[in-house]
Every structure is written in structure tokens, then in C-alpha cells.
Amino acid sequence: QLQASGGGLVQAGASLRLSCAASGRTFSTNRMAWFRQAPGKEREAVAGIRWSGNSTLYVNSVKGRFTISRDNAKNTLYLQMNSLKPEDTAVYYCAASPRYIGLFATYEYWGQGTQVTVSS
């Protein structure tokens, strides 16, 4: 199971940190990622990370502002979001997969989502 938290309502330029606590068969996790879906838009991948090693991937629109990280001991995934913009407004989902494929490829396990709203 994946439990996302940390969303909220902030003004443009502010920061938020999202967390995603994983439980259950966490030993089989190979990669995790954050996705987001804004109203009327398709879900998009935001950032991904391997559960071992240092490989990460970001969508261009968040490069330099967002940082994905993990705490293996706590089985927790994070997304530090700085310099937030109104266009970052969306429901953010964490996802996990045991498969060793691309960081933005298909994921099997999903959290429930947390709302991030950035006002201008």
C-alpha cells in the first residue's frame, strides 16, 4: 500500500514536501515515481527514482524546482517542491513498481493522491 500526504494550498513561490509511505511487499520495489493530474488534463509523470542507486528522472517543467528522494529505512518516498507555480496545481499521486523498466513507464501500485493547489 502507498499512502501519500503533504499536499495543501500555498501561494506561488512557496514550497511543499510530499511524502509517500509504502507498506507491504516493499522489498520488491524497483522504482517509484510521482505523477500529477490537473483538472481536465491527462495524468503526467513528474519525477521518478530507482529504489536502489541514484538514478532519477524529471519532467522538464519541474527540473531545478522539484527534487525526488527516498528513505529506504523508512520505506518513504518524498517530493520536495520549491518555487511552486499555479500550473503545478494538481492531484499528486505516488506509484511503485517491481519491474526494472523506465522510470516513467507503467506502474502497478498507486497511492490515493494528495491535492496541491498553488494560488497566484
Side-chain angles (χ1 to χ4, degrees), residues 36 45-47 56-68 79-80 82-83 85 88 104:
R36 66 185 179 187
V46 176
T56 59
L57 183 65
Y58 297 91
V59 67
N60 285 340
S61 59
V62 307
K63 284 181 180 178
R65 300 188 298 122
F66 290 12
T67 302
I68 189 170
L79 184 67
Q80 178 66 44
N82 298 329
S83 302
K85 303 176 180 180
D88 295 318
F104 284 177

Side-chain angles (χ1 to χ4, degrees), residues 3-10 15-20 34 79 81 84 88-93 112-118:
Q3 182 72 36
S5 62
L9 171 62
V10 297
S15 298
L16 279 175
R17 188 176 81 156
L18 305 184
S19 299
C20 176
W34 289 97
L79 184 67
M81 305 186 293
L84 282 161
D88 295 318
T89 295
V91 177
Y92 284 70
Y93 299 90
Q112 85 287 3
T114 184
Q115 176 71 47
V116 172
T117 303
V118 184

Side-chain angles (χ1 to χ4, degrees), residues 31-79:
R31 56 197 173 97
M32 294 190 73
W34 289 97
F35 288 74
R36 66 185 179 187
Q37 187 166 20
K41 294 187 177 181
E42 293 187 354
R43 185 173 60 194
E44 68 167 348
V46 176
I49 189 168
R50 295 286 173 197
W51 205 241
S52 61
N54 297 318
S55 182
T56 59
L57 183 65
Y58 297 91
V59 67
N60 285 340
S61 59
V62 307
K63 284 181 180 178
R65 300 188 298 122
F66 290 12
T67 302
I68 189 170
S69 63
R70 68 189 190 283
D71 184 329
N72 292 34
K74 295 181 178 180
N75 291 322
T76 301
L77 177 74
Y78 302 100
L79 184 67

